[in-house]
Amino acid sequence: MNDHMRTDPLAELSAAGVSVWLDDLSRELLERGDLEKLVADQHVVGVTTNPTIFASALAKGERYDAQLRELADQGASPDEAVFAITTADVREGCRLLRPVHDATDGVDGRVSIEVDPRLARDTQATIAQARNLWDTVDEGNLLVKIPATQEGLAAITTVIAEGISVNVTLIFSLDRYRAVIDAYLTGLEQAHQTGLDLGRIHSVASFFVSRVDTEIDRRLDAVGTEQARNLKGRAAIANARLAYQIHEEVLASARWQRLAAAGARPQRPLWASTGVKDPAYPDTMYVSELVAPGTVNTMPGATLAAFADHGTVTATTMDTTYDAARTLLDAIEGAGISYDDVTRTLEAEGLAKFDKSWNELGATVAQQLNAVAAR
């Protein structure tokens, strides 16, 4: 390997088959040319958004003022304004990433936009809003983000069957991940029956990483034994590696082979929540420990910068880690910590966090609509 390659960890990561996505989007990033620079210089080939990201973008700066004034003049409600503002930013992001999309045959160059998380327990409302987002943004490289709740699974199948590409978000447990894959494949099978071009339908499955350690570490501390403490900081990576094992098993299945022969694209595992929450851990560990071909790692700006600076791409192949990962999760279960309870808790907390951010986003927009109306 030449010296130049060694000094470009993100290039190495990309060469290992990991698509580098940025977990951030704002009008500022778009208008200042920052996103364009990341695409040109830092191997960024996709973008994910969530309510928290938009709430913080709106809170700082005047870049939304003109649009807010226009929306206030139209008498838009806060919800309508949120929809208009977020779809406008995401459309711009899609256009900026269109060359990447074309160069990668549609695999990358994608931007995700989230269905209102307050609809996460309502299948029909989720379907309706996914269609609305898809039609409003009107860019083929969009991914509509739908949470992997029980109610979300049926919505995923329906919109995939209609040809809408989906980022399935908020996946914590291996069982739920299997159900997500099944929802995707069922949608593809239905799309195939109606004669849709399967090659144009894309999906990623966002497996949340750092939050698993946060919750399990907390419980291991409560157990308090040295044995329990020695298990800290390892569950999230083990969980994600076992998810990749499931992904590999699916790709080897007859069901998938039939769909692939009809032109279908695999649903790629996406590692989300890859910023390290505990400062005791290396700031790049949720990137360097999860290198595998055909995956996506979406990173907050700080994690991306850290990896660009000192990230390492490990030479180990994923399949050599599965037994150790399984053993680790068994040891955590043996310490009295229920995996099922942890993943249920994390899903409930994740939805509550998204709801809270969405409500904050609505409140910020309402405030700003009032402020521009008063000027």
mmCIF file with all atom_site columns, all heavy atoms in Angstrom, residues 98-109:
data_model
loop_
_atom_site.group_PDB
_atom_site.id
_atom_site.type_symbol
_atom_site.label_atom_id
_atom_site.label_alt_id
_atom_site.label_comp_id
_atom_site.label_asym_id
_atom_site.label_entity_id
_atom_site.label_seq_id
_atom_site.pdbx_PDB_ins_code
_atom_site.Cartn_x
_atom_site.Cartn_y
_atom_site.Cartn_z
_atom_site.occupancy
_atom_site.B_iso_or_equiv
_atom_site.pdbx_formal_charge
_atom_site.auth_seq_id
_atom_site.auth_comp_id
_atom_site.auth_asym_id
_atom_site.auth_atom_id
_atom_site.pdbx_PDB_model_num
ATOM 1  N N   . ARG A 1 98  ? -26.601 13.817 -6.918  1.00 0.00 ? 98  ARG A N   1
ATOM 2  C CA  . ARG A 1 98  ? -27.018 13.109 -8.145  1.00 0.00 ? 98  ARG A CA  1
ATOM 3  C C   . ARG A 1 98  ? -25.829 12.531 -8.935  1.00 0.00 ? 98  ARG A C   1
ATOM 4  O O   . ARG A 1 98  ? -25.890 11.373 -9.372  1.00 0.00 ? 98  ARG A O   1
ATOM 5  C CB  . ARG A 1 98  ? -27.867 14.069 -9.002  1.00 0.00 ? 98  ARG A CB  1
ATOM 6  C CG  . ARG A 1 98  ? -28.171 13.574 -10.399 1.00 0.00 ? 98  ARG A CG  1
ATOM 7  C CD  . ARG A 1 98  ? -28.962 12.298 -10.468 1.00 0.00 ? 98  ARG A CD  1
ATOM 8  N NE  . ARG A 1 98  ? -30.314 12.417 -9.960  1.00 0.00 ? 98  ARG A NE  1
ATOM 9  C CZ  . ARG A 1 98  ? -31.230 11.443 -10.076 1.00 0.00 ? 98  ARG A CZ  1
ATOM 10 N NH1 . ARG A 1 98  ? -30.917 10.305 -10.666 1.00 0.00 ? 98  ARG A NH1 1
ATOM 11 N NH2 . ARG A 1 98  ? -32.427 11.602 -9.581  1.00 0.00 ? 98  ARG A NH2 1
ATOM 12 N N   . PRO A 1 99  ? -24.707 13.277 -9.105  1.00 0.00 ? 99  PRO A N   1
ATOM 13 C CA  . PRO A 1 99  ? -23.578 12.692 -9.842  1.00 0.00 ? 99  PRO A CA  1
ATOM 14 C C   . PRO A 1 99  ? -23.037 11.419 -9.188  1.00 0.00 ? 99  PRO A C   1
ATOM 15 O O   . PRO A 1 99  ? -22.650 10.476 -9.878  1.00 0.00 ? 99  PRO A O   1
ATOM 16 C CB  . PRO A 1 99  ? -22.518 13.802 -9.836  1.00 0.00 ? 99  PRO A CB  1
ATOM 17 C CG  . PRO A 1 99  ? -23.275 15.075 -9.612  1.00 0.00 ? 99  PRO A CG  1
ATOM 18 C CD  . PRO A 1 99  ? -24.463 14.699 -8.758  1.00 0.00 ? 99  PRO A CD  1
ATOM 19 N N   . VAL A 1 100 ? -23.025 11.384 -7.831  1.00 0.00 ? 100 VAL A N   1
ATOM 20 C CA  . VAL A 1 100 ? -22.575 10.182 -7.114  1.00 0.00 ? 100 VAL A CA  1
ATOM 21 C C   . VAL A 1 100 ? -23.551 9.041  -7.385  1.00 0.00 ? 100 VAL A C   1
ATOM 22 O O   . VAL A 1 100 ? -23.156 7.894  -7.633  1.00 0.00 ? 100 VAL A O   1
ATOM 23 C CB  . VAL A 1 100 ? -22.490 10.451 -5.586  1.00 0.00 ? 100 VAL A CB  1
ATOM 24 C CG1 . VAL A 1 100 ? -22.146 9.172  -4.826  1.00 0.00 ? 100 VAL A CG1 1
ATOM 25 C CG2 . VAL A 1 100 ? -21.482 11.550 -5.288  1.00 0.00 ? 100 VAL A CG2 1
ATOM 26 N N   . HIS A 1 101 ? -24.834 9.369  -7.337  1.00 0.00 ? 101 HIS A N   1
ATOM 27 C CA  . HIS A 1 101 ? -25.889 8.391  -7.605  1.00 0.00 ? 101 HIS A CA  1
ATOM 28 C C   . HIS A 1 101 ? -25.702 7.778  -8.991  1.00 0.00 ? 101 HIS A C   1
ATOM 29 O O   . HIS A 1 101 ? -25.738 6.556  -9.175  1.00 0.00 ? 101 HIS A O   1
ATOM 30 C CB  . HIS A 1 101 ? -27.242 9.108  -7.489  1.00 0.00 ? 101 HIS A CB  1
ATOM 31 C CG  . HIS A 1 101 ? -28.428 8.267  -7.834  1.00 0.00 ? 101 HIS A CG  1
ATOM 32 N ND1 . HIS A 1 101 ? -28.988 8.262  -9.086  1.00 0.00 ? 101 HIS A ND1 1
ATOM 33 C CD2 . HIS A 1 101 ? -29.161 7.409  -7.093  1.00 0.00 ? 101 HIS A CD2 1
ATOM 34 C CE1 . HIS A 1 101 ? -30.024 7.436  -9.092  1.00 0.00 ? 101 HIS A CE1 1
ATOM 35 N NE2 . HIS A 1 101 ? -30.149 6.902  -7.899  1.00 0.00 ? 101 HIS A NE2 1
ATOM 36 N N   . ASP A 1 102 ? -25.468 8.627  -9.980  1.00 0.00 ? 102 ASP A N   1
ATOM 37 C CA  . ASP A 1 102 ? -25.305 8.145  -11.361 1.00 0.00 ? 102 ASP A CA  1
ATOM 38 C C   . ASP A 1 102 ? -24.029 7.309  -11.496 1.00 0.00 ? 102 ASP A C   1
ATOM 39 O O   . ASP A 1 102 ? -24.036 6.268  -12.159 1.00 0.00 ? 102 ASP A O   1
ATOM 40 C CB  . ASP A 1 102 ? -25.278 9.328  -12.337 1.00 0.00 ? 102 ASP A CB  1
ATOM 41 C CG  . ASP A 1 102 ? -26.623 10.067 -12.365 1.00 0.00 ? 102 ASP A CG  1
ATOM 42 O OD1 . ASP A 1 102 ? -27.635 9.491  -11.885 1.00 0.00 ? 102 ASP A OD1 1
ATOM 43 O OD2 . ASP A 1 102 ? -26.672 11.211 -12.854 1.00 0.00 ? 102 ASP A OD2 1
ATOM 44 N N   . ALA A 1 103 ? -22.952 7.764  -10.839 1.00 0.00 ? 103 ALA A N   1
ATOM 45 C CA  . ALA A 1 103 ? -21.662 7.071  -10.961 1.00 0.00 ? 103 ALA A CA  1
ATOM 46 C C   . ALA A 1 103 ? -21.667 5.707  -10.271 1.00 0.00 ? 103 ALA A C   1
ATOM 47 O O   . ALA A 1 103 ? -20.896 4.817  -10.638 1.00 0.00 ? 103 ALA A O   1
ATOM 48 C CB  . ALA A 1 103 ? -20.543 7.933  -10.379 1.00 0.00 ? 103 ALA A CB  1
ATOM 49 N N   . THR A 1 104 ? -22.535 5.533  -9.272  1.00 0.00 ? 104 THR A N   1
ATOM 50 C CA  . THR A 1 104 ? -22.560 4.260  -8.523  1.00 0.00 ? 104 THR A CA  1
ATOM 51 C C   . THR A 1 104 ? -23.761 3.400  -8.932  1.00 0.00 ? 104 THR A C   1
ATOM 52 O O   . THR A 1 104 ? -24.144 2.489  -8.201  1.00 0.00 ? 104 THR A O   1
ATOM 53 C CB  . THR A 1 104 ? -22.623 4.510  -7.002  1.00 0.00 ? 104 THR A CB  1
ATOM 54 O OG1 . THR A 1 104 ? -23.797 5.285  -6.706  1.00 0.00 ? 104 THR A OG1 1
ATOM 55 C CG2 . THR A 1 104 ? -21.395 5.247  -6.500  1.00 0.00 ? 104 THR A CG2 1
ATOM 56 N N   . ASP A 1 105 ? -24.342 3.698  -10.068 1.00 0.00 ? 105 ASP A N   1
ATOM 57 C CA  . ASP A 1 105 ? -25.501 2.947  -10.550 1.00 0.00 ? 105 ASP A CA  1
ATOM 58 C C   . ASP A 1 105 ? -26.623 2.937  -9.502  1.00 0.00 ? 105 ASP A C   1
ATOM 59 O O   . ASP A 1 105 ? -27.277 1.917  -9.273  1.00 0.00 ? 105 ASP A O   1
ATOM 60 C CB  . ASP A 1 105 ? -25.082 1.520  -10.918 1.00 0.00 ? 105 ASP A CB  1
ATOM 61 C CG  . ASP A 1 105 ? -26.212 0.764  -11.639 1.00 0.00 ? 105 ASP A CG  1
ATOM 62 O OD1 . ASP A 1 105 ? -27.057 1.420  -12.282 1.00 0.00 ? 105 ASP A OD1 1
ATOM 63 O OD2 . ASP A 1 105 ? -26.265 -0.477 -11.523 1.00 0.00 ? 105 ASP A OD2 1
ATOM 64 N N   . GLY A 1 106 ? -26.809 4.074  -8.846  1.00 0.00 ? 106 GLY A N   1
ATOM 65 C CA  . GLY A 1 106 ? -27.932 4.213  -7.917  1.00 0.00 ? 106 GLY A CA  1
ATOM 66 C C   . GLY A 1 106 ? -27.698 3.687  -6.518  1.00 0.00 ? 106 GLY A C   1
ATOM 67 O O   . GLY A 1 106 ? -28.564 3.833  -5.652  1.00 0.00 ? 106 GLY A O   1
ATOM 68 N N   . VAL A 1 107 ? -26.535 3.069  -6.282  1.00 0.00 ? 107 VAL A N   1
ATOM 69 C CA  . VAL A 1 107 ? -26.310 2.482  -4.954  1.00 0.00 ? 107 VAL A CA  1
ATOM 70 C C   . VAL A 1 107 ? -26.137 3.585  -3.909  1.00 0.00 ? 107 VAL A C   1
ATOM 71 O O   . VAL A 1 107 ? -26.764 3.578  -2.855  1.00 0.00 ? 107 VAL A O   1
ATOM 72 C CB  . VAL A 1 107 ? -25.092 1.534  -4.976  1.00 0.00 ? 107 VAL A CB  1
ATOM 73 C CG1 . VAL A 1 107 ? -24.743 1.075  -3.566  1.00 0.00 ? 107 VAL A CG1 1
ATOM 74 C CG2 . VAL A 1 107 ? -25.392 0.332  -5.870  1.00 0.00 ? 107 VAL A CG2 1
ATOM 75 N N   . ASP A 1 108 ? -25.280 4.565  -4.222  1.00 0.00 ? 108 ASP A N   1
ATOM 76 C CA  . ASP A 1 108 ? -25.041 5.659  -3.278  1.00 0.00 ? 108 ASP A CA  1
ATOM 77 C C   . ASP A 1 108 ? -25.591 6.970  -3.856  1.00 0.00 ? 108 ASP A C   1
ATOM 78 O O   . ASP A 1 108 ? -26.418 6.955  -4.747  1.00 0.00 ? 108 ASP A O   1
ATOM 79 C CB  . ASP A 1 108 ? -23.550 5.750  -2.950  1.00 0.00 ? 108 ASP A CB  1
ATOM 80 C CG  . ASP A 1 108 ? -23.108 4.650  -1.990  1.00 0.00 ? 108 ASP A CG  1
ATOM 81 O OD1 . ASP A 1 108 ? -23.769 4.482  -0.947  1.00 0.00 ? 108 ASP A OD1 1
ATOM 82 O OD2 . ASP A 1 108 ? -22.127 3.958  -2.289  1.00 0.00 ? 108 ASP A OD2 1
ATOM 83 N N   . GLY A 1 109 ? -25.122 8.082  -3.296  1.00 0.00 ? 109 GLY A N   1
ATOM 84 C CA  . GLY A 1 109 ? -25.671 9.372  -3.710  1.00 0.00 ? 109 GLY A CA  1
ATOM 85 C C   . GLY A 1 109 ? -27.087 9.551  -3.202  1.00 0.00 ? 109 GLY A C   1
ATOM 86 O O   . GLY A 1 109 ? -27.933 10.164 -3.838  1.00 0.00 ? 109 GLY A O   1
#
